[in-house]
């Protein structure tokens, strides 16, 4: 649906250069979630199917400063003036022990990328060029209904990364959600898996 996400007008990335190269850039995660709730978020996470080499090339042409955070994970920091973004390519994660993926597979599909994320309310994308919400896992509906739901089964999502349990509790508390009216109880069942 068409919408306005708070602060996106400050997103100075060369959106149309990406579009010309057949890549769509999306804001995803806490920035979109918090904007929909009327908060004023500051950390902007960008995602797309563009390889980091393409992102580096386009951003360098437009005088952005790019720093590779983790090439294996497809993650960059992009900045220009006071604007800073973190870019991550669409991917599927494979976990071993710990909260960092042991390997990733890059993908072109936004739905596949959404499913690797922790919570549906953090898997709401904002298509910057077209100024619309893309919500493959119905996270906006969960947000409106005060539901905290994992993107896959809680046993998989929370076992993959033990920090997700703490993040789920923090977000639930921040949003003032009652555990009894959400699916946060799944976190308690998964603690033994982490």
């Amino acid at each position: 649906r068409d919408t306005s996400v708070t602060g996106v007008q400050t997103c100075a990335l060369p959106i149309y250069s990406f579009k010309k190269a057949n890549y769509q850039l999306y804001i995803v995660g806490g920035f979109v979630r918090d904007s929909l709730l009327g908060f004023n978020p500051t950390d902007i996470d960008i995602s797309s199917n563009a390889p980091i080499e393409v992102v580096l090339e386009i951003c360098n042409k437009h005088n952005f400063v790019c720093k590779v955070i983790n090439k294996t994970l497809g993650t960059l920091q992009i900045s220009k003036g006071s604007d800073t973004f973190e870019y991550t390519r669409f991917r599927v994660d494979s976990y071993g022990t710990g909260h960092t993926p042991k390997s990733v597979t890059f993908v072109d599909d936004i739905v596949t990328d959404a499913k690797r994320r922790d919570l549906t309310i953090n898997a709401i994308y904002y298509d910057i060029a077209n100024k619309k919400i893309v919500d493959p896992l119905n996270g906006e509906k969960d947000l409106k209904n005060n539901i905290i739901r994992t993107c896959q089964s809680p046993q998989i999502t929370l076992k993959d990364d033990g920090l997700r349990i703490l993040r789920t509790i923090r977000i639930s508390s921040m949003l003032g959600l009652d555990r009894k009216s959400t699916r946060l109880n799944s976190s308690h069942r998964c603690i033994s898996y982490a």
Side-chain angles (χ1 to χ4, degrees):
R1 70 175 176 84
D2 290 340
T3 190
S4 174
V5 172
T6 306
V8 172
Q9 63 272 13
T10 66
C11 184
L13 287 169
I15 305 306
Y16 295 101
S17 294
F18 283 94
K19 198 168 184 177
K20 189 175 178 181
N22 294 316
Y23 296 109
Q24 288 292 118
L25 290 183
Y26 299 89
I27 298 176
V28 65
F31 189 95
V32 179
R33 179 198 68 222
D34 291 350
S35 292
L36 290 172
L37 290 170
F39 298 149
N40 191 20
T42 55
D43 294 336
I44 300 179
D45 295 326
I46 306 288
S47 193
S48 85
N49 61 335
I52 61 170
E53 295 80 10
V54 170
V55 178
L56 285 167
E57 182 182 349
I58 291 173
C59 287
N60 286 333
K61 283 181 182 176
H62 292 273
N63 300 315
F64 283 82
V65 176
C66 298
K67 177 184 174 185
V68 176
I69 296 174
N70 189 320
K71 187 172 183 178
T72 304
L73 299 180
T75 306
L76 300 170
Q77 183 183 66
I78 304 168
S79 58
K80 187 174 189 179
S82 61
D83 291 324
T84 300
F85 317 97
E86 185 169 298
Y87 174 83
T88 303
R89 187 174 175 187
F90 290 169
R91 67 184 198 218
V92 174
D93 298 335
S94 176
Y95 286 86
T97 57
H99 67 275
T100 301
K102 68 176 181 180
S103 66
V104 302
T105 303
F106 296 118
V107 297
D108 291 325
D109 180 42
I110 196 169
V111 176
T112 304
D113 185 71
K115 288 179 181 176
R116 79 170 174 88
R117 298 180 181 276
D118 54 0
L119 306 172
T120 59
I121 61 173
N122 291 335
I124 306 169
Y125 297 74
Y126 181 76
D127 179 338
I128 303 168
N130 295 307
K131 298 180 180 169
K132 66 178 184 178
I133 292 288
V134 178
D135 187 13
L137 304 180
N138 296 312
E140 191 174 7
K141 181 179 177 184
D142 287 346
L143 195 59
K144 287 177 182 173
N145 291 321
N146 291 336
I147 293 173
I148 291 199
R149 183 169 51 98
T150 56
C151 294
Q152 298 184 62
S153 78
Q155 289 74 18
I156 292 171
T157 298
L158 300 175
K159 182 181 178 184
D160 279 349
D161 179 354
L163 289 179
R164 288 177 168 176
I165 294 171
L166 298 176
R167 194 176 309 124
T168 300
I169 293 168
R170 179 184 60 81
I171 290 170
S172 177
S173 175
M174 179 186 81
L175 300 180
L177 301 180
D178 181 353
R179 277 191 324 214
K180 292 177 183 175
S181 64
T182 69
R183 297 185 184 175
L184 180 60
N185 288 319
S186 297
S187 294
H188 299 287
R189 290 197 301 271
C190 292
I191 287 175
S192 62
Y193 290 99

